[in-house]
Amino acid sequence: MRGSVRTSLLALAVSTTCLVACGANNADVPDELLAAIPKGGGSDYPEGPYGTAAGDVVQDLCWDAWQNPKADGYDPARLRRLCLSDIHADRDARLLLVNSSAIWCVACRFEYGGSEGEDGRPSLADHLAERRDQGFRILGTLFQDGASEPATPADAAQWARLYAVDFPFALDDDHHLGLFTSSSIAPFNLLVDTRTMKIVLELEGDEPATLFGAADAFLKDAAAE
Amino acid sequence: MKQAVFRRGIGGRAAALVILCAAPGARALDGPALAGRPVQIDVTNAGSVLYNADNRNSRPGSVVRRIDDDWGVFYNRLNVQASSGPFQLGLRLDSALFYATPDPTKVALDLTRERHGGALPDPVPGDAALFFVQKTTEASNELVTRYTSWTYPAKYYLGYSTPDVEATVGDFYAQLGRGLVLSVRKLDELSSDTTVRGARMTYKARVDDVRLRMTALGGAMNPLRFDEASGRYLGVGPGTTTGLLALTEAGMPRAQASPFESRPEPTYAPDRVVGAQIEGGPRVLQVGVQGALFDRTFTDSGTNAEAALSPGTVRSASRILNGSVSVAAPDLGGHGALYFEAALQNMTYPSVLSQSGRDLPDSGHALYASATVTEKPVTFTFEGKHYRRFYPLLANVNLGRAPEFSVVQYSAPPTAEAFWVDTEFEGFNTCVTGGRLRADVEVGGGSTVFAWLGRYLSWAESVANARCETGEQNENRVWDVASGAEHVSKNRKTRVSATIGGRTDDTPRALPHPEGGETHLFYQEAYLRYDVTTHLGGPFTLKLQGWDRRRHQTQGGIPDPWTELQHLFALDIARFTVGAGYEYTGNPQFPDHYFNGLFAYAINASSNVSLFAGQRRGGLRCVSGVCRVYPPFEGVRLDVTVRF
């Protein structure tokens, strides 16, 4: 988590102080837990303060993921650590879409699957192919299964294989994207400027016209810079 | 209105208020005279004390499902109305005072321990510490929109009413047409109560058999700000209360920032509306023309561009114009009635979206018709709809922060379905053609048998289709059938109704089956509904109610069909009611069994007290196409309503 750790720790201290001052029934945080927070540094990832609203810099979240799911054969044993800082380091990237899906989510299936035909709905892969040369990237994540339990590597493999996902795809069993939205909501889409790592758009629900309208507007401005 | 935060002694205050509320002697009060006219004052107080225990929906790592346990609130609605001659003055003051709330640090600690089998490992790994930090952040962010005590003026108005003129300043309900243009009203079943806060004037004229009614209205939208099922509130922010909104939002709950946020994120921005309606004609044929223009309140959340709190096809439209023409023949010589409405909708987007959002809809239209034809003993009822890119006016709510308020909308296009139907998924009703024909046959003795057949084609249910492209690749085909019987006794003390029905929803294109392979089935259901009220003699009345369903949703992550049962039993004994309920769901997203009990006492015709204890199933609840997801409830609830 590198730079984000300092901010998070500071925020935690602030939170704890506030809760005590406010008189709430605050739980004692074991010292060994606070001491175990890794001390980062040395990355060129943008420094905090980090936030969760549009315009804020997103913290350097990490997942177990396939960088190239198809090439990895959707094999759970080949999940590897993938962080936002890795995508930030991709100099060809300009705009990142982080998609949060769950197996219980009907609309998520149609985001991934699309529908065929002249007037059919493009899938996420179709949208990526159309904009990849402009620096558009997608990171798919799966956070819950059909019973709203945390997704497992096998669930991620089943989902990615079902939709033949060929862009980076992560298991979000800890639901890191819960920082931005409720776990009762899916799909959730986050657009991030990969140069500044600032949040461009947060979008609850399946709203492709709004999502890719905003993405195209950003990419157009970015190309004009 | 300042935030009212009570952290100590709230339980005692709540109890005292409940006792006060329960004081006997309910009646309307005669106040002092005003300009020679007596003033009648009507005071109604509805107080509820709720305690939410562990509702058994927790999941590993889920803050939202853990933080909805172990909280309690005293929720009070004080209604005061005064009237004198043609004038009415009203105020509804809502107070939500929390006497128990979860602790975010404890929630995060518990989740962290559970992640490691119940105890922190020794030594603590770095990822466990990071998990704890994230969950603390999530819990703190979650709590700034929940469990915050508020007292605020939910509704207020000053009205003037004569046979010719009605005028209101303040809060009022409004419906233009059959809900296609504007519909703000109270939906008790969904805990929703939306008004326009502004001004409305209606003028009525009558010349012989010709009636004319003209209405003009304008103001800011005002939904209820507190959701008792979740403890969530809607808070406005500085960027959402400029101009007239500073006045209409005075005293309303404000957004707050958590310790992890640099600024408060508003969860609600009030949209503004102006509308008008002219309707009239002879008694046999009424013609109406109505229109409403909605102006969104956008905010700059840090991106140097103003936008909706939760962008989307409807919420991102900066202006929405709805207009319609309606024709009604309310009485076909005692043999039925006809109604027809044609509506247009135009959405305007900010330039940044309209230039790039090639898939955004421009204009939409809707045709709705209903007809009743009666030739005793048979009555036919038909409802039909044909909607293309016609959207409900969703409120400007931050869905990520306040998902419970996604139900708030300012129009309600008719569904042409039974009012309880909760299986129009996704954007079903925005791009649809279909209708339902119902036949009722009176068979004598107060009994009626009925049946209906519904057929709907939607192109926005199994695919996001903002532009409403109506090819087969986007199509869902629905058959909805039911039949049943009703009986009302001569003395009307016994009523029995039962409906058995089914629904099948499939697609011409193959859909991926959750367990591999393909399927054309999207959704299927069979159900039985019954409602019985029977007088047993003396002071005893028995009430039974139930809804049993067998459901199969192939795309919802549950591969197999599942069963849902809901049965309520109640016995009225003079002023007392005792009841019990049982619910079951085979949906693995929720616990299986739910039991509850109810005790109620009617103090008089308008005052009562009730105590509910036990469990209620969560899930989707819909009323005429307006739906919200309820969390499961487990706990105790005391309600006291007293009218003075």
Side-chain angles (χ1 to χ4, degrees):
Chain A
M1 301 282 277
R2 305 181 193 286
S4 65
V5 172
R6 290 189 298 275
T7 307
S8 298
L9 191 55
L10 178 63
L12 177 65
V14 170
S15 169
T16 306
T17 304
C18 173
L19 288 169
V20 171
C22 294
N25 182 24
N26 184 44
D28 290 330
V29 181
D31 290 340
E32 61 269 28
L33 187 59
L34 293 176
I37 297 174
K39 306 294 182 286
S43 165
D44 67 346
Y45 195 84
E47 296 228 347
Y50 301 114
T52 58
D56 290 342
V57 178
V58 62
Q59 70 181 69
D60 187 13
L61 300 170
C62 297
W63 297 268
D64 288 336
W66 295 292
Q67 180 74 39
N68 189 338
K70 220 172 228 177
D72 286 332
Y74 310 109
D75 180 359
R78 301 182 73 171
L79 288 166
R80 298 285 181 270
R81 197 82 170 151
L82 177 69
C83 298
L84 289 181
S85 52
D86 298 322
I87 297 164
H88 173 64
D90 175 1
R91 292 302 164 199
D92 293 331
R94 196 63 191 84
L95 182 68
L96 172 67
L97 166 61
V98 186
N99 171 273
S100 178
S101 290
I103 290 179
W104 51 258
C105 163
V106 178
C108 303
R109 295 173 181 272
F110 304 117
E111 278 196 319
Y112 275 81
S115 64
E116 295 181 351
E118 189 182 339
D119 293 325
R121 180 246 172 91
S123 66
L124 285 178
D126 295 333
H127 284 293
L128 175 62
E130 191 180 334
R131 298 167 177 85
R132 191 191 298 269
D133 291 345
Q134 298 168 260
F136 187 61
R137 301 288 184 269
I138 295 180
L139 169 62
T141 71
L142 186 76
F143 71 97
Q144 283 182 342
D145 67 9
S148 302
E149 297 282 354
T152 63
D155 293 328
Q158 184 196 18
W159 182 274
R161 191 187 302 275
L162 182 63
Y163 297 107
V165 176
D166 64 353
F167 47 78
F169 190 79
L171 172 66
D172 190 16
D173 51 346
D174 284 341
H175 198 215
H176 290 313
L177 295 172
L179 287 169
F180 305 92
T181 194
S182 164
S183 62
S184 65
I185 288 181
F188 170 74
N189 286 291
L190 186 71
L191 285 177
V192 180
D193 178 343
T194 56
R195 300 270 167 87
T196 63
M197 298 313 285
K198 284 186 177 177
I199 298 166
V200 175
L201 181 75
E202 295 176 16
L203 195 61
E204 285 87 8
D206 183 18
E207 295 276 1
T210 310
L211 177 62
F212 294 101
D216 288 341
F218 178 91
L219 293 169
K220 185 180 170 189
D221 288 348
E225 282 176 3
Chain B
M1 186 69 59
K2 289 182 179 175
Q3 181 196 359
V5 179
F6 298 86
R7 294 198 181 274
R8 290 191 184 126
I10 224 31
R13 290 178 197 214
L17 275 169
V18 168
I19 291 165
L20 277 175
C21 292
R27 63 190 187 281
L29 304 173
D30 290 327
L34 184 69
R37 290 190 170 115
V39 177
Q40 190 168 56
I41 300 171
D42 197 342
V43 180
T44 304
N45 194 82
S48 308
V49 182
L50 294 85
Y51 184 77
N52 291 257
D54 178 0
N55 62 2
R56 301 181 293 162
N57 71 340
S58 297
R59 293 288 188 279
S62 175
V63 166
V64 175
R65 285 169 175 255
R66 181 60 56 90
I67 221 159
D68 66 3
D69 299 336
D70 303 319
W71 61 275
V73 64
F74 169 60
Y75 181 36
N76 196 70
R77 288 85 71 201
L78 173 66
N79 271 289
V80 181
Q81 295 179 60
S83 58
S84 176
F87 294 97
Q88 308 92 40
L89 185 66
L91 168 68
R92 174 175 158 177
L93 191 68
D94 280 16
S95 302
L97 310 176
F98 290 88
Y99 60 87
T101 60
D103 169 16
T105 313
K106 182 175 184 305
V107 166
L109 261 179
D110 288 347
L111 292 174
T112 308
R113 289 191 177 111
E114 287 172 14
R115 186 173 182 256
H116 295 276
L120 290 176
D122 185 19
V124 178
D127 73 312
L130 290 176
F131 179 85
F132 168 71
V133 169
Q134 184 197 322
K135 295 304 167 187
T136 306
T137 310
E138 267 185 60
S140 296
N141 289 349
E142 178 75 10
L143 281 180
V144 294
T145 60
R146 297 177 89 161
Y147 313 139
T148 304
S149 296
W150 289 102
T151 295
Y152 74 98
K155 311 288 176 192
Y156 52 77
Y157 65 90
L158 172 63
Y160 174 81
S161 179
T162 68
D164 299 329
V165 176
E166 289 175 12
T168 306
V169 177
D171 285 287
F172 54 87
Y173 299 110
Q175 174 147 324
L176 302 180
R178 286 284 169 95
L180 288 164
V181 173
L182 172 69
S183 176
V184 286
R185 59 195 180 115
K186 191 174 184 182
L187 291 171
D188 286 330
E189 301 89 338
L190 303 178
S191 308
S192 173
D193 186 353
T194 302
T195 50
V196 180
R197 181 168 284 180
R200 177 180 62 183
M201 177 167 274
T202 299
Y203 174 72
K204 290 178 277 188
R206 182 170 183 171
V207 179
D208 296 329
D209 188 39
V210 177
R211 299 174 185 184
L212 183 67
R213 179 186 172 97
M214 293 182 287
T215 300
L217 60 87
M221 311 311 291
N222 178 30
L224 272 191
R225 307 302 166 92
F226 176 69
D227 175 48
E228 64 186 60
S230 62
R232 186 93 64 186
Y233 78 95
L234 285 179
V236 292
T240 61
T241 53
T242 54
L244 171 72
L245 298 178
L247 179 65
T248 58
E249 289 300 311
M252 306 303 276
R254 258 49 186 174
Q256 299 172 71
S258 87
F260 293 84
E261 297 171 313
S262 56
R263 58 187 178 275
E265 274 196 63
T267 47
Y268 174 66
D271 300 319
R272 291 149 293 189
V273 64
V274 291
Q277 180 183 48
I278 300 176
E279 59 178 353
R283 180 175 161 70
V284 294
L285 191 69
Q286 303 275 312
V287 177
V289 179
Q290 44 267 324
L293 176 65
F294 294 83
D295 190 19
R296 292 282 193 207
T297 300
F298 285 162
T299 57
D300 178 2
S301 58
T303 55
N304 298 320
E306 298 215 316
L309 297 177
S310 279
T313 302
V314 182
R315 293 187 171 93
S316 287
S318 52
R319 284 193 171 189
I320 303 173
L321 178 63
N322 278 357
S324 79
V325 176
S326 60
V327 179
D331 184 3
L332 299 176
H335 293 280
L338 285 172
Y339 181 87
F340 175 76
E341 186 171 349
L344 293 173
Q345 181 176 75
N346 186 272
M347 294 201 268
T348 306
Y349 293 92
S351 57
V352 65
L353 265 184
S354 58
Q355 288 166 13
S356 56
R358 61 191 172 187
D359 293 327
L360 290 168
D362 37 25
S363 61
H365 61 270
L367 303 174
Y368 169 78
S370 69
T372 303
V373 177
T374 301
E375 193 60 55
K376 295 287 184 181
V378 181
T379 299
F380 288 104
T381 307
F382 172 77
E383 271 191 290
K385 60 183 179 182
H386 176 80
Y387 304 159
R388 292 292 182 272
R389 300 175 299 282
F390 202 87
Y391 290 87
L393 299 166
L394 303 174
N396 198 352
V397 167
N398 186 331
L399 297 182
R401 290 301 189 92
E404 295 81 6
F405 289 92
S406 63
V407 67
V408 180
Q409 59 187 56
Y410 308 137
S411 69
T415 62
E417 304 226 37
F419 72 89
W420 66 73
V421 166
D422 57 3
T423 47
E424 288 193 340
F425 298 102
E426 305 299 329
F428 185 102
N429 212 33
T430 64
C431 181
V432 65
T433 295
R436 184 171 66 119
L437 178 65
R438 172 175 167 144
D440 290 68
V441 182
E442 293 178 19
V443 293
S447 297
T448 304
V449 295
F450 63 85
W452 75 67
L453 176 66
R455 176 63 166 168
Y456 309 93
L457 300 179
S458 173
W459 295 269
E461 186 180 38
S462 61
V463 62
N465 184 8
R467 294 187 64 83
C468 190
E469 307 288 358
T470 54
E472 270 201 346
Q473 69 280 359
N474 297 330
E475 188 174 278
N476 276 65
R477 308 170 297 197
V478 174
W479 285 107
D480 189 281
V481 296
S483 66
E486 293 173 350
H487 172 77
V488 181
S489 67
K490 275 187 179 174
N491 61 10
R492 310 190 74 79
K493 287 186 173 179
T494 293
R495 293 168 179 270
V496 179
S497 72
T499 307
I500 185 165
R503 186 179 180 93
T504 182
D505 182 342
D506 65 9
T507 61
R509 72 184 192 282
L511 301 169
H513 192 280
E515 292 189 319
E518 293 181 334
T519 178
H520 289 273
L521 180 65
F522 183 77
Y523 180 79
Q524 202 165 40
E525 169 176 0
Y527 65 87
L528 166 69
R529 289 176 65 97
Y530 65 89
D531 195 341
V532 178
T533 300
T534 181
H535 182 226
L536 300 176
F540 300 101
T541 300
L542 177 68
K543 297 174 180 172
L544 300 170
Q545 207 175 63
W547 189 7
D548 297 339
R549 312 171 74 178
R550 180 71 174 166
R551 314 180 63 184
H552 188 198
Q553 185 180 5
T554 62
Q555 303 299 298
I558 309 163
D560 300 317
W562 77 95
T563 300
E564 287 179 3
L565 308 175
Q566 179 180 312
H567 296 277
L568 296 172
F569 156 89
L571 183 64
D572 288 350
I573 309 168
R575 292 186 171 194
F576 293 93
T577 299
V578 289
Y582 169 69
E583 295 176 64
Y584 166 83
T585 178
N587 184 333
Q589 294 177 14
F590 302 101
D592 298 349
H593 300 282
Y594 302 81
F595 299 92
N596 57 60
L598 174 78
F599 175 81
Y601 175 70
I603 301 166
N604 55 41
S606 52
S607 302
N608 57 74
V609 56
S610 70
L611 178 67
F612 172 92
Q615 306 157 326
R616 269 193 189 135
R617 181 164 52 85
L620 194 68
R621 282 185 215 165
C622 297
V623 177
S624 300
V626 181
C627 304
R628 68 160 290 187
V629 175
Y630 272 87
F633 174 80
E634 191 148 336
V636 182
R637 176 183 181 124
L638 174 67
D639 289 284
V640 181
T641 301
V642 177
R643 179 168 176 248
F644 294 95

